[in-house]
């Protein structure tokens, strides 16, 4: 029997597998037993009502998907009256993803969702910051620090900071989030991308650009997860292109303490359970008693100076 329990930023989970925000809803309970998940991460909410972006909002790409949903939200009254009671019947920890266009908006919303039944708050700092001409909070060290610190002052709940991959040095952003009070990092959100319909000669998304997710991004985000896990002392949750247990194990070996499964759920609704079972099978096969023994177990040999010398192939 493998001990599958993990602790992520102050939240004890029965196992390291959970959904990625935006790919999980209560209707999925018809295909998945929510009690088997490590956590339930719900779609990002905002204080105000939001209708979302112009259609079309989603298109397929080779080995991935582009989306520009625009965070449609029914607002806080709906969250209080409908969403929270819906998930309260499950023992699985509930993680609430939040978004706001300003630092003060983030902080006040975090305080408002700090309610009984909420285990942690995932702060979607990859969203546009209206105080910085629409640049995502997580694109810069200073705005990351300001946002996380302001939120930290307004809630005692564990904070999971969801980072943007659209940066030069994601580890630097991760360190800033940790210093400001984040309890865990989610690495990472989608990559800014674009697709064109050559027959209509128009963008394939109504908002022109969107976020790329799916298997195509996995090797890049595994690298980012590895870099962040080496840079911070808080847990890292790997998120990006996970479709199989092998994908999830790759993330964990690179340093992720847990994983979020997203895009594949649209194709295979039971993918999270398959990933969970596959991780446990791998641990049994490799003789691991605890799933946490996988975390950061990657074997990396450092090259010495001789190995790194340039060699003339004609010599």
């Amino acid at each position: 029997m493998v001990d599958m329990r993990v602790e992520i930023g102050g939240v004890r989970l029965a196992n390291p597998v959970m959904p990625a925000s935006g790919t999980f809803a209560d209707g999925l309970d018809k295909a998945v037993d929510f009690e088997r998940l490590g956590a339930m991460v719900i779609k990002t909410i905002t204080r105000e009502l939001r209708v979302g972006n112009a259609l079309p909002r989603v298109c397929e790409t080779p080995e991935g998907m582009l989306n520009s949903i625009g965070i449609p939200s029914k607002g806080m009254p709906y969250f209080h009256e409908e969403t929270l009671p819906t998930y309260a019947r499950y023992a699985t920890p509930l993680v609430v993803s939040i978004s706001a266009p300003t630092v003060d908006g983030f902080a006040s919303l975090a305080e408002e969702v700090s309610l009984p039944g909420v285990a942690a708050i995932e702060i979607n700092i990859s969203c546009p910051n209206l105080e910085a001409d629409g640049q995502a909070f997580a694109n810069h060290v200073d705005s990351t620090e300001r946002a996380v610190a302001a939120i930290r002052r307004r809630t005692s709940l564990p904070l999971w900071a969801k980072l943007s991959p659209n940066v030069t040095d994601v580890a630097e952003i991760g360190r800033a989030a940790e210093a400001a009070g984040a309890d865990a990092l989610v690495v990472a959100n989608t990559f800014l991308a674009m697709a064109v319909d050559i027959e209509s000669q128009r963008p394939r998304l109504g908002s022109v650009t969107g976020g790329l997710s799916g298997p195509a991004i996995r090797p890049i985000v595994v690298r980012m997860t590895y870099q962040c896990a080496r840079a911070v002392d808080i847990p890292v949750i790997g998120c990006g292109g996970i479709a199989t247990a092998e994908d999830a194990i790759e993330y964990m070996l690179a340093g992720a303490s847990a994983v979020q499964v997203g895009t594949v759920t649209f194709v295979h609704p039971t993918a999270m359970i398959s990933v969970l079972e596959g991780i446990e099978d791998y641990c049994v096969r490799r003789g691991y008693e605890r799933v946490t023994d996988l975390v950061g177990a990657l074997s990396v040999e450092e090259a010495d100076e001789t190995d790194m010398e340039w060699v003339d192939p004609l010599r």
Side-chain angles (χ1 to χ4, degrees), residues 183-195:
D183 298 293
L185 304 179
V186 180
V187 182
N189 212 321
T190 56
F191 284 81
L192 187 63
M194 179 178 173

Side-chain angles (χ1 to χ4, degrees), residues 4 19 51 58 71 81 99 101 121 128 158 168 190 192 196 200-201 236 242 261 267 295 297-298:
M4 296 294 287
V51 297
V58 175
I71 314 182
E81 297 165 14
S99 173
I121 300 173
T168 302
T190 56
L192 187 63
V196 174
S200 67
Q201 299 183 346
V236 175
I242 296 172
V261 179
V267 182
V295 179
L298 184 69

